[in-house]
Amino acid sequence: MASSKSISNYPEQVLSYHDSVLYASDVALIEQSNWLNDHCILFWFQVLEYDEQVWLDNESPGQGSQQYKTVDILFLQPASAFMIQFLSANELLIGTEDNVFLTIKDKELVFIPVVGNADMNAGGGSHWSLLVYHNEKFYHLDSSNGKIASHS
């Protein structure tokens, strides 16, 4: 599929939302029920991070007494998650104030997108899965029945 270009030969930007940008080609992936790319995943993570709240039901079902609870969640951006697989443990744990990897253990939930690509120079990939960290355990969710488990 040819990508949509604007007059200036840059991809046509459809939406900018916090740290994410969706282009016409990204929207076409969604509209045509194709595989998602990193732009689509980042956009959805941004929506969840900035606009959604976790809904908890503190009463038995049907009682109507529900409330919101703030949950400390980290949505790791696809580019950061991709780079993790190429860093050593020492590089991941460098003590800088903006090192998101040092805060993972303090979060209630961490969502880490995993792409099926082991070549840092190639970029991209053909399949994404999701690694979820919760209660000091990792859960790997993969629609391809574990074909990219080695990357997670």
Side-chain angles (χ1 to χ4, degrees):
M1 176 176 86
S3 66
S4 175
K5 300 278 185 179
S6 66
I7 296 172
S8 62
N9 287 330
Y10 290 104
E12 180 184 349
Q13 183 175 321
V14 176
L15 176 69
S16 176
Y17 185 77
H18 292 276
D19 293 334
S20 68
V21 175
L22 284 181
Y23 298 95
S25 58
D26 304 321
V27 174
L29 291 174
I30 297 166
E31 290 175 341
Q32 298 169 10
S33 299
N34 289 318
W35 294 105
L36 300 178
N37 63 15
D38 56 332
H39 294 152
C40 299
I41 293 167
L42 176 59
F43 170 75
W44 186 242
F45 276 11
Q46 297 281 281
V47 169
L48 293 173
E49 182 175 353
Y50 292 104
D51 288 346
E52 296 298 319
Q53 296 183 35
V54 175
W55 184 261
L56 296 179
D57 185 351
N58 288 338
E59 301 287 328
S60 9
Q63 301 248 339
S65 177
Q66 300 165 330
Q67 68 182 40
Y68 288 105
K69 175 189 175 197
T70 302
V71 177
D72 198 6
I73 299 174
L74 172 65
F75 294 95
L76 199 58
Q77 294 188 2
S80 298
F82 176 71
M83 290 306 298
I84 287 175
Q85 63 185 326
F86 304 108
L87 298 175
S88 69
N90 288 337
E91 291 169 317
L92 283 173
L93 300 176
I94 292 173
T96 61
E97 68 181 53
D98 61 344
N99 186 345
V100 69
F101 305 114
L102 294 176
T103 67
I104 288 176
K105 68 181 184 330
D106 301 324
K107 303 293 182 182
E108 290 182 58
L109 278 169
V110 180
F111 294 92
I112 306 168
V114 179
V115 67
N117 177 9
D119 183 358
M120 185 167 83
N121 296 319
S126 61
H127 179 75
W128 289 90
S129 65
L130 184 65
L131 192 61
V132 179
Y133 176 77
H134 179 61
N135 290 335
E136 299 183 8
K137 292 181 184 176
F138 284 96
Y139 303 90
H140 187 223
L141 308 171
D142 185 1
S143 64
S144 73
N145 296 321
K147 291 179 183 173
I148 68 167
S150 64
H151 301 287
S152 57

